[in-house]
Amino acid sequence: MSIAVYPGSFDPITLGHLNIIERASHIFDKLIVCVGYNRSKSPMFTAGERVEMIRKVTGHLPNVEVEASPELLAEFARRKGACVIVKGLRAVSDFESEFAMSLINKKLSPELDTMFLMAEERFLYLSSSAVKELGAYHADLSDFLPREVIEEFKARIDARR
Ligand code: ADP
């Protein structure tokens, strides 16, 4: 069985992330979305909240599991029996750090490969931080966030004011 891990902070999950999850779920028998604890210093949502949001929007994908982990990614992948890490690539600027990270993970776990899926054109500019910025100005988020999480996101923006 081919198992892949898709790691990220997903604070919050965007339509760009969801697009990568849907595409990767068609390639692998099982895709585990791994919410990192430490990647963002002051996240808007707790790891548990982010897991719940991702579960809510991936309910239509039976081979997708969602977990949070404080572990080193290579360790998490090994424990789960995964042989591939999936990453999304937007601009060239993503490439350098992602390339370095894939080499580190390969060093830590030689049997682990990183596979990059190119972002679709309509999501090239989309990031969680851009969505937070837009949310602060009450912009329409329907092209950026999954429908099911928009209200929760807006409520959190308002609560943080
Ligand atoms: P962000 O940069 O939005 O805070 P994360 O750290 O949560 O993202 O990203 C997790 C993974 O998803 C990374 O591999 C990142 O490159 C990828 N990703 C983020 N946004 C998009 C997008 N709009 N399209 C494709 N991949 C994306």
Side-chain angles (χ1 to χ4, degrees):
M1 175 149 107
S2 61
I3 303 175
V5 174
Y6 175 43
S9 35
F10 308 107
D11 187 44
I13 181 163
T14 68
L15 288 175
H17 295 133
L18 185 56
N19 177 258
I20 296 290
I21 294 173
E22 284 171 342
R23 288 160 60 198
S25 75
H26 295 139
I27 299 173
F28 299 99
D29 295 323
K30 180 152 100 179
L31 180 72
I32 305 171
V33 180
C34 179
V35 174
Y37 272 88
N38 307 321
R39 314 231 343 238
S40 166
K41 284 194 181 104
S42 55
M44 179 174 256
F45 294 96
T46 65
E49 288 171 331
R50 286 178 268 153
V51 166
E52 283 313 311
M53 288 166 107
I54 302 170
R55 285 197 181 131
K56 206 188 291 184
V57 304
T58 56
H60 61 300
L61 303 168
N63 63 336
V64 171
E65 288 177 11
V66 190
E67 271 188 45
S69 172
E71 276 165 293
L72 201 56
L73 181 60
E75 201 46 57
F76 178 83
R78 195 192 337 252
R79 191 164 59 76
K80 294 289 175 186
C83 53
V84 171
I85 293 173
V86 171
K87 289 304 207 65
L89 270 190
R90 285 161 292 188
V92 180
S93 52
D94 275 348
F95 178 81
E96 210 168 317
S97 59
E98 293 291 358
F99 188 38
M101 224 182 296
S102 75
L103 291 176
I104 291 170
N105 282 323
K106 187 91 183 146
K107 170 112 185 113
L108 291 172
S109 194
E111 67 282 5
L112 193 59
D113 263 308
T114 303
M115 200 178 268
F116 295 100
L117 292 180
M118 303 309 296
E120 283 193 10
E121 203 177 349
R122 63 201 163 124
F123 299 129
L124 265 183
Y125 52 86
L126 183 54
S127 66
S128 297
S129 46
V131 168
K132 284 176 195 151
E133 194 66 28
L134 288 169
Y137 293 97
H138 297 293
D140 176 11
L141 299 174
S142 52
D143 285 341
F144 309 124
L145 291 183
R147 186 173 31 82
E148 302 90 325
V149 306
I150 291 181
E151 287 313 314
E152 193 175 347
F153 176 72
K154 282 187 184 164
R156 185 59 53 93
I157 291 260
D158 289 342
R160 282 163 58 115
R161 274 178 196 285

